[in-house]
Amino acid sequence: MASETSPGTGGADGGTVRVDAWIWSVRLVKTRSAGAAACKGGHVRVNGDRVKPAHGVKPGDEVRLRQPAGRERVVIVKRVIRKRVGAPVAVECYVDNSPPPPPREAVAPAGIRDRGTGRPTKRDRRDMERLRALNSRTGPVQPPAGRSD
């Protein structure tokens, strides 16, 4: 009878595991099929090389995963596991060397209007856009053109 290692490893503490299964099991992607799609799309690199979903990872390998919104995760494999485990256990299976995520840009609050004033007019909307600097096609804000008598 084979000795069982730790829960969720499936006896894979010293061998290799498919890269798509590993990034899923340590919770870097939501589903295994998403991990395979990331590999096929060229978003996963192991030790600097683009890999297919069936490529094996072993302890010591560097895995780079480009995620949506331009974020890149850089992790070093500490332990290989085959089955998905809880987040506290998953964090112990890799060393995260990822750069910090970019700061979220503060969104200006929408203009607060008095109750009962109705819908904003086109002029009101344009004024709000100018305040929020959403209209980037117009350069600097210019005063409205008046009549020159």
Side-chain angles (χ1 to χ4, degrees), residues 24-123:
W24 166 74
S25 62
V26 296
R27 297 176 173 266
L28 294 178
V29 292
K30 228 174 196 181
T31 63
R32 179 156 175 198
S33 60
C39 292
K40 288 177 186 173
H43 301 292
V44 178
R45 293 177 177 264
V46 176
N47 298 326
D49 299 324
R50 286 185 177 172
V51 294
K52 293 183 177 181
H55 187 284
V57 293
K58 60 188 180 306
D61 285 347
E62 178 189 64
V63 178
R64 291 179 174 264
L65 172 68
R66 193 170 55 225
Q67 293 180 324
R71 183 158 187 229
E72 185 176 39
R73 299 288 305 265
V74 181
V75 296
I76 307 292
V77 179
K78 278 176 44 178
R79 193 172 89 199
V80 291
I81 57 175
R82 284 195 171 93
K83 296 186 179 181
R84 193 167 173 101
V85 293
V89 178
V91 172
E92 297 172 358
C93 296
Y94 61 87
V95 177
D96 196 355
N97 292 336
S98 304
R104 288 185 162 188
E105 293 185 20
V107 177
I112 300 172
R113 298 179 52 83
D114 293 329
R115 189 169 178 87
T117 57
R119 207 172 148 173
T121 62
K122 187 182 275 191
R123 175 184 267 173

Side-chain angles (χ1 to χ4, degrees), residues 15 22 96 134 144 146:
W22 187 80
D96 196 355
L134 292 178

